[in-house]
Amino acid sequence: MRRTYVRFPNTIKVVFDHRGLGDAFHLFFQDPWIDPETGKEYPPWVLDSEKSYVPNAEPLLYSFKANVALNQQLASCLRVAIEQKTVALPIEAHAAGATGDEDSGGRALSMEEKAIYIEADALQVEMGNIVLKTSGAGNYTYDTAKPNQHKDRYSSLAMGVWYIAQMEDTRKRKIHKRKNDMCIGIVSYF
């Protein structure tokens, strides 16, 4: 996670699923970290929702605690983002040439480039496995069709898109208050 942060320095939040295995996730980041490649020290990360007593800590971690309503919002936000093309997935690995040694233009792909296409393919498979289910209480949930299927990539993407949608809603409300005018929507590209 920290190496990903180093590669993407404009990261503003790390959204993680706090339920299940994520209960102790934030505790792994309470110490400063030194990048072994550059020797640069990075401050500890803490939850943005709690007061921290860790010195120089950055409130970079956002704890997502899912429930039925939030899961519905995840699915809706991701669907809207894909339909409006604010999120675009790479083409399939085979078409990009990521399964061989060269891309469709004859250029050799690095292992990292191949991994991007292969992971995008796995994400699309996971998204295809998501089905609408009805619980015993009559609530609608989105889950995998079979218990042995995974949806980790889907959940990660959906939580990120959901968090951005929350930021945009907050921004719209601020603009609306400032101008006392109607604010239908704001177009932004990240």
Side-chain angles (χ1 to χ4, degrees), residues 27-39:
L27 300 175
F28 291 108
F29 300 100
Q30 289 188 344
D31 295 322
W33 179 71
I34 298 175
D35 183 6
E37 294 178 11
T38 63

Side-chain angles (χ1 to χ4, degrees), residues 103-152:
D103 68 1
S104 55
R107 182 180 63 89
L109 293 173
S110 69
M111 291 299 284
E112 184 177 10
E113 289 172 321
K114 288 180 184 179
I116 290 169
Y117 288 109
I118 292 168
E119 288 294 322
D121 285 355
L123 168 64
Q124 290 181 33
V125 168
E126 286 184 10
M127 291 172 74
N129 291 336
I130 302 296
V131 295
L132 179 67
K133 292 184 176 181
T134 307
S135 69
N139 296 323
Y140 294 109
T141 59
Y142 292 91
D143 204 353
T144 56
K146 298 177 183 175
N148 63 344
Q149 295 172 328
H150 298 283
K151 62 174 186 158
D152 299 324

Side-chain angles (χ1 to χ4, degrees), residues 1-189:
M1 183 64 63
R2 298 246 193 197
R3 287 184 180 176
T4 303
Y5 175 76
V6 169
R7 298 257 339 259
F8 299 96
N10 293 332
T11 301
I12 56 170
K13 288 290 178 210
V14 175
V15 182
F16 69 98
D17 186 2
H18 202 113
R19 306 247 191 247
L21 298 177
D23 279 341
F25 181 78
H26 63 286
L27 300 175
F28 291 108
F29 300 100
Q30 289 188 344
D31 295 322
W33 179 71
I34 298 175
D35 183 6
E37 294 178 11
T38 63
K40 182 178 177 183
E41 182 175 337
Y42 291 90
W45 297 348
V46 294
L47 291 171
D48 65 351
S49 60
E50 299 176 359
K51 183 174 178 165
S52 173
Y53 299 101
V54 179
N56 301 325
E58 286 187 31
L60 197 66
L61 301 174
Y62 181 85
S63 169
F64 183 84
K65 295 179 182 169
N67 58 33
V68 174
L70 287 176
N71 282 335
Q72 181 69 37
Q73 287 180 18
L74 285 182
S76 297
C77 288
L78 184 56
R79 182 178 180 151
V80 167
I82 290 172
E83 287 175 353
Q84 293 181 348
K85 298 184 179 175
T86 56
V87 170
L89 302 176
I91 61 174
E92 65 176 275
H94 183 67
T99 55
D101 292 331
E102 297 179 345
D103 68 1
S104 55
R107 182 180 63 89
L109 293 173
S110 69
M111 291 299 284
E112 184 177 10
E113 289 172 321
K114 288 180 184 179
I116 290 169
Y117 288 109
I118 292 168
E119 288 294 322
D121 285 355
L123 168 64
Q124 290 181 33
V125 168
E126 286 184 10
M127 291 172 74
N129 291 336
I130 302 296
V131 295
L132 179 67
K133 292 184 176 181
T134 307
S135 69
N139 296 323
Y140 294 109
T141 59
Y142 292 91
D143 204 353
T144 56
K146 298 177 183 175
N148 63 344
Q149 295 172 328
H150 298 283
K151 62 174 186 158
D152 299 324
R153 292 173 188 88
Y154 162 80
S155 296
S156 297
L157 177 62
M159 284 188 282
V161 169
W162 175 85
Y163 185 80
I164 291 168
Q166 301 308 305
M167 288 174 44
E168 289 177 344
D169 286 345
T170 302
R171 184 171 175 224
K172 287 177 201 173
R173 283 193 295 273
K174 284 181 183 177
I175 290 172
H176 177 67
K177 283 182 183 178
R178 216 177 16 206
K179 293 183 176 180
N180 264 346
D181 208 1
M182 178 76 72
C183 179
I184 303 295
I186 298 171
V187 176
S188 63
Y189 296 95

